Amino acid sequence: MSIAGSVDMTATVGSVRLKSPVMTASGTSGYGSELGAYMDLDRLGAVVVKSMAVFEWPGNPAPRVCAGPASMINSVGLQGDGIRRWLDRELPQLVEHGATVVASIWGRTPADFEKAAIMLSTAYGIAAIEVNVSCPNVEDRNRMFAHSPDATAGAVRAATQAGLPLWVKLSANVADLLEIAASAIDAGAEGLVLINTLLGMAIDIDKRRYSLGSGPRGGGVSGPAIRPVAVRAVHDVRRANPEVGIVGVGGISRGRHAVEMMMAGADAVEVGTATMLDPRAPMRVQRELKRWCRLHGIRRVADLTSAVSVTSVEGVEGVEGVEGEEGGEDVASSEATGDTYQ
Ligand SMILES: Cc1cc2nc3c(=O)[nH]c(=O)nc-3n(C[C@H](O)[C@H](O)[C@H](O)COP(=O)(O)O)c2cc1C
């Protein structure tokens, strides 16, 4: 195997062209510029900022995070100061860093999504809007938008008013993900982001109390434990929608995890919980992904998308040789890098 030669790392999600397929995941690296102390933000595919609403929101009481098996559980509850403040204080810093910015929005009604998207459309420097539909819809008995095809479509249609490229972030906690994905696409999504955290809960048995401040409402599970769920979601949605942009997110902390997600069908990936352990994780994933391509004779990272077949591919150097690349099995590699979650 040769490691010589350059790799074209550009990626495309819908109409958005990125320098690299590796981005941060919403909510796991603040509003963006915080990571500037650890890396050159302009080298990442994009910085996806924490979901914001048109209003301030207090979020849930502490504690907001706890450890789970090969995972963490959070109940941050979308706390934030609102879009106006972000536009005034944070966006200019991200633009100064040269970052490609994807702004994530949430709301409690379709009108909230519309206002949020329109507010962002007046700003300079936003490449796309990520529509986070994993939030309660007050017009539907507080059921999550993401759990209903109609409510998802309503939020997406409302956000199209901004005229910016829309990526819609879906939940895998649904009976029929393909139906929800189709609904988001019909309503105007040019990209789908798969997946948000999975519904979860932890109980402190000694104190006989809920481990998170959100109590009986539980939290969202993220990290290595959810990666196979994300890979499956990306894979199935890709098969049903060969043309849509797909961003895979869930448990990615190494380059080979990104390779797997792309082989499942993703055009790009986001790194979430791993960034909370090591702020440089997105850069590490990007570096390792590039190296993997070089080692395996892949000249364009985009060629990894859907590059999986039932039998291993003959003649394509190393496509079947993912395991062992950076430390063998996941448990071993996470131990080696200190990526333990409990
Ligand atoms: C502490 C925390 C906060 C999060 N906040 C948001 C958010 O504001 N908006 C959103 O769409 N997803 C949010 N997520 C979900 C992540 O973006 C990501 O979809 C999920 O954690 C799975 O990826 P990971 O396993 O790499 O963390 C959050 C996740 C965590 C752990």
Side-chain angles (χ1 to χ4, degrees):
M1 282 184 202
S2 152
I3 59 163
S6 63
V7 180
D8 175 357
M9 289 294 283
T10 56
T12 308
V13 178
S15 65
V16 182
R17 201 169 156 78
L18 305 167
K19 282 181 200 109
S20 146
V22 182
M23 302 178 263
T24 60
S26 180
T28 56
S29 53
Y31 293 99
S33 55
E34 296 91 324
L35 283 188
Y38 302 94
M39 67 183 89
D40 296 330
L41 296 178
D42 61 341
R43 290 176 57 203
L44 280 178
V47 173
V48 183
V49 301
K50 183 169 155 58
S51 298
M52 304 169 290
V54 277
F55 41 82
E56 283 180 44
W57 191 249
N60 285 320
R64 288 170 160 184
V65 292
C66 69
S71 60
M72 65 176 272
I73 314 175
N74 92 84
S75 62
V76 173
L78 296 164
Q79 181 229 326
D81 293 334
I83 293 178
R84 182 72 269 152
R85 204 174 148 110
W86 179 77
L87 288 172
D88 294 342
R89 300 199 173 185
E90 305 283 344
L91 179 61
Q93 292 181 49
L94 282 169
V95 170
E96 201 165 306
H97 278 287
T100 299
V101 182
V102 174
S104 172
I105 59 170
W106 73 280
R108 294 184 297 160
T109 63
D112 286 343
F113 281 96
E114 179 173 342
K115 282 186 220 146
I118 288 176
M119 215 180 222
L120 292 173
S121 70
T122 60
Y124 169 77
I126 297 171
I129 294 179
E130 196 173 275
V131 183
N132 175 12
V133 282
S134 292
C135 41
N137 177 359
V138 294
E139 294 174 4
D140 184 19
R141 292 174 291 127
N142 279 334
R143 196 154 67 116
M144 266 197 207
F145 284 91
H147 291 176
S148 148
D150 290 345
T152 296
V156 177
R157 220 173 286 116
T160 57
Q161 301 304 318
L164 282 166
L166 292 186
W167 302 351
V168 180
K169 184 159 180 189
L170 299 180
S171 161
N173 279 124
V174 292
D176 190 348
L177 179 59
L178 297 187
E179 186 188 14
I180 312 252
S183 188
I185 295 167
D186 285 349
E190 59 171 64
L192 299 176
V193 183
L194 300 157
I195 58 175
N196 215 315
T197 52
L198 296 176
L199 295 176
M201 179 177 278
I203 292 172
D204 181 332
I205 58 169
D206 298 318
K207 294 185 184 148
R208 298 191 187 203
R209 289 177 53 168
Y210 297 103
S211 298
L212 293 170
S214 53
R217 286 175 290 122
V221 184
S222 62
I226 75 165
R227 199 167 65 242
V229 181
V231 168
R232 173 72 185 261
V234 164
H235 178 266
D236 292 358
V237 171
R238 168 57 75 208
R239 288 232 162 159
N241 304 279
E243 305 299 332
V244 77
I246 296 185
V247 179
V249 49
I252 296 176
S253 63
R254 306 304 304 236
R256 64 203 193 94
H257 304 157
V259 173
E260 183 187 26
M261 200 66 89
M262 293 185 74
M263 286 186 176
D267 299 297
V269 300
E270 292 176 0
V271 180
T273 300
T275 312
M276 303 180 81
L277 276 172
D278 174 3
R280 294 183 179 85
M283 285 309 291
R284 179 179 70 215
V285 170
Q286 181 167 294
R287 196 174 57 245
E288 291 179 353
L289 172 61
K290 187 171 185 179
R291 184 175 143 77
W292 193 95
C293 288
R294 221 184 271 141
L295 277 169
H296 294 82
I298 309 281
R299 298 220 165 268
R300 283 171 10 118
V301 72
D303 290 342
L304 288 177
T305 301
S306 299
V308 65
S309 75
V310 178
T311 52
S312 57
V313 182
E314 299 296 337
V316 180
E317 195 184 348
V319 167
E320 70 279 25
V322 185
E323 294 302 336
E325 174 65 21
E326 280 135 9
E329 289 303 313
D330 289 342
V331 175
S333 72
S334 32
E335 279 170 3
T337 54
D339 289 6
T340 46
Y341 290 80
Q342 55 176 337

